[in-house]
Amino acid sequence: MNEIVLIHFSGRDQPGLTAEVTGILAGYDACVLDIGQAVVHETLALGLLIEIPRDEAFLRLQNALVEKSRELELQVRFTAISKQDLKHWISAQGKDRFIITVLGRAISARHLARVSAIIHEHGLNVDRIERMSGRLSFAAHAPDANACVELRVSGSARSEAAMRAEFLTTAHEMRIDIAFQRESIFRRNRRLFAFDMDSTLICGEVIDELAKMAGVGIEVANITESAMRGEIDFKESFRRRVGLLRGLQEQRVRELLGTIPLVEGAEQLVGTLKMLGYKTAILSGGFTFFARHLQERLGIDYVFANELDIVDGAVTGEITTEIVDGARKAELLRQIARQENISLEQVVAIGDGANDLPMLGIAGMGIAFRAKPLVRQSADHAVSVLGLDSLLYLIGVRDRDLATAAQSS
């Protein structure tokens, strides 16, 4: 007969501790069924589920581990596991697994209590918690700091849609972001990030700034609002707005380059993605002259946007190329994925407007970034509190990973 035993060690962490413990287990030919270790503020928790014949050798193993624990100043606890409990543990390996990422300027106990309560209410169990950011509560001293905690959970959710909705409501009420995704082989195997440009990569709308230069800012804004109310579609609204720019001098248009700032974290995100070998794309309903400026500045791989027609040094107000609307963005995203020979599951798409929803919907991860309420509710993920660099947490990149990469470069 074999004994199934859970052995739990706790105490101050120190180098070589795991090697000492597992070395004793090896000396008694113990079969390790499961192992987990975590260190929080230099305090260790190490658990091992082992199988060993129920004989005198097991008693000698216990004595050896107790003696070693005294030597290492650890607490050790042995728990016998019944066949029923073992069967339950084995069956649990097939449960659905999810990643819940909590992001904010600071993460407090109040935030964690609410998120963990929602997880429990929907029938899921927290398996592991990891801090992804450098710190969690530096907001008072660094208002632009990032804070992030990742929770790995498992089980069968009563209603994923209801849980997502509750996370969205909680995020809005508590001024944090909560991302909920299924664990899959694609989560750490993304290959392409596709961005909307206006109000996603840059802080503003290029067409609005051009309209102000042309003295038609109010008229363009009225057409935009009409489109947002659903009274006219994007293509028609775009034609009308561009038509109002007729006569604007090319020199004035070029003056706009470099005057609209990047969104917080854009350079950090794109630079890190390039370092990791990701491809990047801008799929914009804006204009190519500004998108190509960003391409040169950030090193973007693909750019698709609308050509602002200029003849004899002035804007004509005409549309001479196919307008990049929502459907076209989704089509272009599929095209790039095919060209790169990757699955759409390996694509992350980011945007803020309704015309971004088609590409957000087909991407493996679609993120509404600082988006309108309707877009936040429709997208699988929404990030509104932090900058674009916080999206790195959603693909499993931690602050300490970036620090290590910076030191080695």
Side-chain angles (χ1 to χ4, degrees):
M1 295 291 291
N2 288 345
E3 185 88 20
I4 307 296
V5 180
L6 175 63
I7 310 171
H8 179 261
F9 300 89
S10 60
R12 185 174 178 80
D13 189 31
Q14 53 188 291
L17 185 151
T18 305
E20 295 267 18
V21 169
T22 54
I24 293 175
L25 293 174
Y28 287 85
D29 290 328
C31 178
V32 178
L33 304 178
D34 195 14
I35 184 171
Q37 178 174 312
V39 177
V40 179
H41 199 62
E42 299 184 356
T43 299
L44 169 91
L46 169 62
L48 300 106
L49 184 68
I50 69 165
E51 182 177 12
I52 191 169
R54 188 184 300 170
D55 55 20
E56 291 183 3
F58 174 60
L59 296 177
R60 292 196 298 272
L61 171 61
Q62 278 187 304
N63 291 334
L65 289 173
V66 168
E67 183 62 32
K68 179 56 68 174
S69 297
R70 289 198 191 100
E71 180 184 324
L72 297 173
E73 298 182 341
L74 295 176
Q75 300 291 322
V76 61
R77 185 173 70 250
F78 301 88
T79 304
I81 303 300
S82 68
K83 289 183 179 179
Q84 183 177 352
D85 287 341
L86 180 63
K87 185 177 180 181
H88 180 267
W89 172 73
I90 292 172
S91 65
Q93 304 310 299
K95 287 184 177 180
D96 293 333
R97 299 187 182 278
F98 306 92
I99 303 293
I100 298 171
T101 313
V102 184
L103 309 101
R105 295 302 179 188
I107 304 297
S108 69
R110 188 166 59 93
H111 299 137
L112 295 174
R114 184 67 192 118
V115 170
S116 57
I118 294 172
I119 293 170
H120 173 67
E121 289 164 7
H122 286 270
L124 298 177
N125 182 67
V126 177
D127 299 323
R128 180 179 175 183
I129 302 175
E130 182 177 5
R131 171 173 49 83
M132 304 292 285
S133 57
R135 295 290 185 273
L136 295 182
S137 301
F138 265 17
H141 307 288
D144 294 332
N146 287 351
C148 179
V149 171
E150 179 185 278
L151 298 91
R152 294 173 178 265
V153 305
S154 61
S156 299
R158 296 189 179 94
S159 170
E160 285 188 39
M163 183 163 55
R164 286 180 185 274
E166 198 165 350
F167 280 143
L168 188 63
T169 299
T170 298
H172 178 71
E173 291 174 351
M174 304 190 82
R175 298 179 64 81
I176 57 175
D177 292 315
I178 305 171
F180 173 81
Q181 55 183 310
R182 276 183 174 270
E183 179 68 287
S184 74
I185 61 172
F186 296 110
R187 193 238 172 176
R188 294 178 183 269
N189 194 31
R190 310 293 184 187
R191 286 293 176 264
L192 168 68
F193 268 63
F195 301 90
D196 174 44
M197 180 175 69
D198 297 69
S199 297
T200 299
L201 272 177
I202 59 174
C203 299
E205 302 282 331
V206 172
I207 197 168
D208 289 346
E209 298 305 316
L210 293 175
K212 292 174 186 176
M213 288 180 171
V216 292
I218 294 176
E219 293 92 329
V220 166
N222 288 338
I223 295 172
T224 301
E225 290 175 8
S226 179
M228 290 178 66
R229 291 193 297 267
E231 297 168 356
I232 52 177
D233 66 16
F234 177 83
K235 286 186 176 180
E236 179 59 24
S237 73
F238 188 74
R239 288 191 185 95
R240 292 187 190 180
R241 287 179 289 172
V242 173
L244 291 171
L245 301 178
R246 183 177 181 179
L248 182 63
Q249 294 299 299
E250 181 178 9
Q251 182 180 354
R252 297 292 312 280
V253 172
R254 298 299 173 187
E255 289 173 2
L256 198 60
L257 296 176
T259 64
I260 303 178
L262 291 169
V263 164
E264 174 196 353
E267 285 186 292
Q268 170 81 329
L269 172 61
V270 177
T272 302
L273 293 175
K274 286 170 62 65
M275 178 187 71
L276 296 176
Y278 285 72
K279 294 294 183 179
T280 53
I282 291 176
L283 305 179
S284 173
F287 297 110
T288 53
F289 81 92
F290 205 99
R292 287 179 184 138
H293 165 71
L294 292 182
Q295 181 178 33
E296 183 177 344
R297 177 176 176 180
L298 298 175
I300 302 292
D301 296 295
Y302 295 92
V303 164
F304 293 95
N306 300 298
E307 198 70 41
L308 185 61
D309 193 45
I310 296 176
V311 176
D312 296 330
V315 175
T316 67
E318 300 294 326
I319 303 297
T320 59
T321 55
E322 182 178 0
I323 295 174
V324 178
D325 62 357
R328 179 64 175 154
K329 287 186 179 186
E331 179 184 338
L332 289 167
L333 190 59
R334 289 191 178 94
Q335 176 183 312
I336 295 171
R338 286 195 299 270
Q339 186 170 332
E340 292 293 334
N341 195 29
I342 62 174
S343 162
L344 285 170
E345 284 289 341
Q346 296 175 283
V347 174
V348 180
I350 305 103
D352 73 303
N355 67 329
D356 295 311
L357 285 174
M359 75 170 181
L360 300 188
I362 65 171
M365 178 183 287
I367 302 170
F369 180 74
R370 297 183 179 178
K372 316 297 185 294
L374 176 62
V375 181
R376 287 201 306 270
Q377 294 167 11
S378 302
D380 286 340
H381 308 282
V383 173
S384 302
V385 177
L386 301 184
L388 278 174
D389 55 331
S390 68
L391 304 189
L392 292 168
Y393 297 134
L394 303 189
I395 59 171
V397 178
R398 303 164 296 189
D399 284 358
R400 60 182 176 273
D401 299 328
L402 298 179
T404 302
Q407 290 171 2
S408 62
S409 63

